[in-house]
Amino acid sequence: MKTKLLIAALITGVAATSVSAAGFGRSEGAGSFGPRGGIAAMDFATVDANADGSITLEELQALPAAKFAEVDTDGDGVLSAEELNAQVTAQMAERAAARVEQQITSRDTDGDGALSLEELQPNDTTRLTSMFERLDADSDGNVTAEEFAAFETAMAQRDQMRGGDRGGRDGGRDGGQRHNH
């Protein structure tokens, strides 16, 4: 047991050191370092370079150089802004495609590979009804701009009490600035 823990710690340490030294390659796709870093975010087949069913320390140590070569498309030994941008763009496209595929898989009830308006409707209308009732402070069946603003203010105050900051209507992306739209 101690030997297995020591080996796991060693592999994770080497992988984390390799990621830091390489300074790139953090994506969430198979065969890459994910946001967690370390071996847990890597695809086994990618690390097992000779496909013999086991990973050696040498294979793990060679991974940053292999990832560097993959991004260094012109082979000049340095990563240009264009090469790094291409890598980031490709990673974002892969993540977006995976999210779209997951969305279709989870909601495509008729199996046609596309989503209809009915399939996109919320499955749980009680949650939507509950939210509407909280917004409709005077229970008249309509949400006014004032009721909506009051709800936003209450949510921002709740988030601040919890240690978060929703900021403006865009969820805080504006650095907490409130906008009158």
Side-chain angles (χ1 to χ4, degrees), residues 6-168:
L6 180 60
I7 291 171
L10 178 62
I11 289 173
T12 302
V14 168
T17 301
S18 298
V19 170
S20 296
F24 70 97
R26 292 181 167 275
S27 76
E28 296 176 7
S32 59
F33 296 101
R36 297 179 307 271
I39 197 164
M42 288 186 262
D43 178 72
F44 184 87
T46 300
V47 182
D48 182 18
N50 64 3
D52 68 354
S54 65
I55 298 172
T56 64
L57 181 57
E58 289 78 21
E59 287 173 315
L60 195 59
Q61 290 171 331
L63 190 60
K67 294 195 90 36
F68 185 95
E70 185 180 307
V71 178
D72 183 19
T73 55
D74 64 7
D76 67 355
V78 295
L79 299 180
S80 67
E82 291 80 16
E83 289 168 325
L84 291 170
N85 280 327
Q87 179 203 27
V88 169
T89 300
Q91 290 170 347
M92 289 177 8
E94 288 174 20
R95 286 192 299 269
R99 282 193 300 271
V100 167
E101 182 61 32
Q102 190 279 328
Q103 179 79 10
I104 290 174
T105 300
S106 69
R107 302 198 94 166
D108 182 19
T109 57
D110 63 8
D112 68 353
L115 297 178
S116 66
L117 178 59
E118 291 78 24
E119 290 169 325
L120 287 172
Q121 295 299 317
N123 294 332
D124 181 12
T125 58
T126 56
R127 207 171 100 190
L128 190 59
T129 301
S130 174
M131 178 187 281
F132 183 84
E133 289 170 353
R134 290 189 333 212
L135 285 165
D136 185 15
D138 62 8
S139 301
D140 68 351
N142 297 298
V143 176
T144 65
E146 292 78 21
E147 288 172 320
F148 193 86
F151 181 79
E152 274 191 318
T153 300
M155 294 303 292
Q157 288 171 346
R158 184 197 74 182
D159 287 348
Q160 285 178 345
M161 290 177 62
R162 290 182 177 173
D165 182 13
R166 286 171 35 109

